[in-house]
Amino acid sequence: MDTHVRLEPWSAGDFWLLERKNEPVMTEFLGGPEPAAKLVERQRRYEAMSAREPAAGRMFRVVWTPAGARGAESVGSVGFWEREWQGEQVYEAGWGVLPEFQGHGLAVAALTELLAHVRAHGSRDSVHAFPGTDHPASNAVCRRAGFEYLGDVDFEYPPGVPHPSCDWRYRVGRPRSGITPSG
């Protein structure tokens, strides 16, 4: 399967994607669906991220054109933002691929494209991801995208709710070990 994707900056027209990503199947490992007001606020934050300088972080819509298809499809989102983690200034990454597109390597392809963007525009040495210890698919995405597993941590998500998570780190300057998006 062709897993080449492109990333497009989040825009006002992408609210429908936030609504889809808020469905119970998509939020099972994230504390459940958010109320409508929180989605509206999230949309504002994502649009604002697209207006900032590239090193500060970005949220993207993931677009995929299947082989032989007439057009592209929006299949999810991927983004990164600044944070402090264990005394270090790092980026945190997050992603989500809609259920009907999962299992085809698109999350790995999107995260790989995001890491290329961070290498080109970022100012921090590493990108972390914190999928729950109970979320094997997201942990596999980190592994396949070239992240290094640092151990289990209690990570707050949603804020104020500690959740057993895996701490994955990608060193921005280090070349990836031959992993390809379709690998």
Side-chain angles (χ1 to χ4, degrees), residues 4 50 54 62 123 128 157:
H4 178 72
S50 289
V62 179
S123 59
H128 286 254
Y157 194 86

PDB file of all heavy atoms in Angstrom, residues 4 50 54 62 123 128 157:
ATOM      1  N   HIS A   4       2.471   7.319   1.126  1.00  0.00           N
ATOM      2  CA  HIS A   4       2.961   8.693   1.039  1.00  0.00           C
ATOM      3  C   HIS A   4       1.832   9.654   1.433  1.00  0.00           C
ATOM      4  O   HIS A   4       0.730   9.573   0.900  1.00  0.00           O
ATOM      5  CB  HIS A   4       3.462   9.030  -0.358  1.00  0.00           C
ATOM      6  CG  HIS A   4       3.912  10.454  -0.462  1.00  0.00           C
ATOM      7  ND1 HIS A   4       5.070  10.888   0.123  1.00  0.00           N
ATOM      8  CD2 HIS A   4       3.314  11.533  -1.005  1.00  0.00           C
ATOM      9  CE1 HIS A   4       5.181  12.193  -0.093  1.00  0.00           C
ATOM     10  NE2 HIS A   4       4.133  12.604  -0.771  1.00  0.00           N
ATOM     11  N   SER A  50      -0.956  27.443  13.451  1.00  0.00           N
ATOM     12  CA  SER A  50      -0.603  27.584  12.038  1.00  0.00           C
ATOM     13  C   SER A  50      -0.101  28.982  11.703  1.00  0.00           C
ATOM     14  O   SER A  50       0.567  29.170  10.694  1.00  0.00           O
ATOM     15  CB  SER A  50      -1.807  27.257  11.153  1.00  0.00           C
ATOM     16  OG  SER A  50      -2.083  25.879  11.193  1.00  0.00           O
ATOM     17  N   PRO A  54       7.395  28.746  12.490  1.00  0.00           N
ATOM     18  CA  PRO A  54       7.442  27.286  12.384  1.00  0.00           C
ATOM     19  C   PRO A  54       8.116  26.560  13.541  1.00  0.00           C
ATOM     20  O   PRO A  54       7.733  25.447  13.869  1.00  0.00           O
ATOM     21  CB  PRO A  54       8.207  27.042  11.083  1.00  0.00           C
ATOM     22  CG  PRO A  54       8.043  28.277  10.296  1.00  0.00           C
ATOM     23  CD  PRO A  54       7.935  29.396  11.301  1.00  0.00           C
ATOM     24  N   VAL A  62      -3.510  15.600   7.900  1.00  0.00           N
ATOM     25  CA  VAL A  62      -2.793  14.582   7.131  1.00  0.00           C
ATOM     26  C   VAL A  62      -3.636  14.238   5.907  1.00  0.00           C
ATOM     27  O   VAL A  62      -4.805  13.864   6.035  1.00  0.00           O
ATOM     28  CB  VAL A  62      -2.536  13.318   7.976  1.00  0.00           C
ATOM     29  CG1 VAL A  62      -1.811  12.262   7.150  1.00  0.00           C
ATOM     30  CG2 VAL A  62      -1.747  13.671   9.237  1.00  0.00           C
ATOM     31  N   SER A 123      13.775  24.130  16.664  1.00  0.00           N
ATOM     32  CA  SER A 123      14.901  24.691  17.408  1.00  0.00           C
ATOM     33  C   SER A 123      15.246  23.845  18.630  1.00  0.00           C
ATOM     34  O   SER A 123      16.142  24.205  19.379  1.00  0.00           O
ATOM     35  CB  SER A 123      14.558  26.116  17.854  1.00  0.00           C
ATOM     36  OG  SER A 123      13.399  26.105  18.680  1.00  0.00           O
ATOM     37  N   HIS A 128       9.295  14.306  21.933  1.00  0.00           N
ATOM     38  CA  HIS A 128       8.780  13.227  22.780  1.00  0.00           C
ATOM     39  C   HIS A 128       7.343  12.924  22.407  1.00  0.00           C
ATOM     40  O   HIS A 128       6.606  13.802  21.955  1.00  0.00           O
ATOM     41  CB  HIS A 128       8.839  13.617  24.259  1.00  0.00           C
ATOM     42  CG  HIS A 128      10.207  13.601  24.831  1.00  0.00           C
ATOM     43  ND1 HIS A 128      10.645  12.624  25.692  1.00  0.00           N
ATOM     44  CD2 HIS A 128      11.262  14.440  24.667  1.00  0.00           C
ATOM     45  CE1 HIS A 128      11.899  12.863  26.029  1.00  0.00           C
ATOM     46  NE2 HIS A 128      12.291  13.965  25.428  1.00  0.00           N
ATOM     47  N   TYR A 157      -2.765  13.453  31.216  1.00  0.00           N
ATOM     48  CA  TYR A 157      -3.645  13.753  30.091  1.00  0.00           C
ATOM     49  C   TYR A 157      -4.946  13.010  30.286  1.00  0.00           C
ATOM     50  O   TYR A 157      -4.939  11.792  30.485  1.00  0.00           O
ATOM     51  CB  TYR A 157      -3.047  13.368  28.733  1.00  0.00           C
ATOM     52  CG  TYR A 157      -3.856  14.015  27.632  1.00  0.00           C
ATOM     53  CD1 TYR A 157      -3.561  15.308  27.232  1.00  0.00           C
ATOM     54  CD2 TYR A 157      -4.946  13.381  27.062  1.00  0.00           C
ATOM     55  CE1 TYR A 157      -4.333  15.935  26.267  1.00  0.00           C
ATOM     56  CE2 TYR A 157      -5.718  14.005  26.100  1.00  0.00           C
ATOM     57  CZ  TYR A 157      -5.403  15.283  25.716  1.00  0.00           C
ATOM     58  OH  TYR A 157      -6.169  15.909  24.776  1.00  0.00           O
TER      59      TYR A 157
END
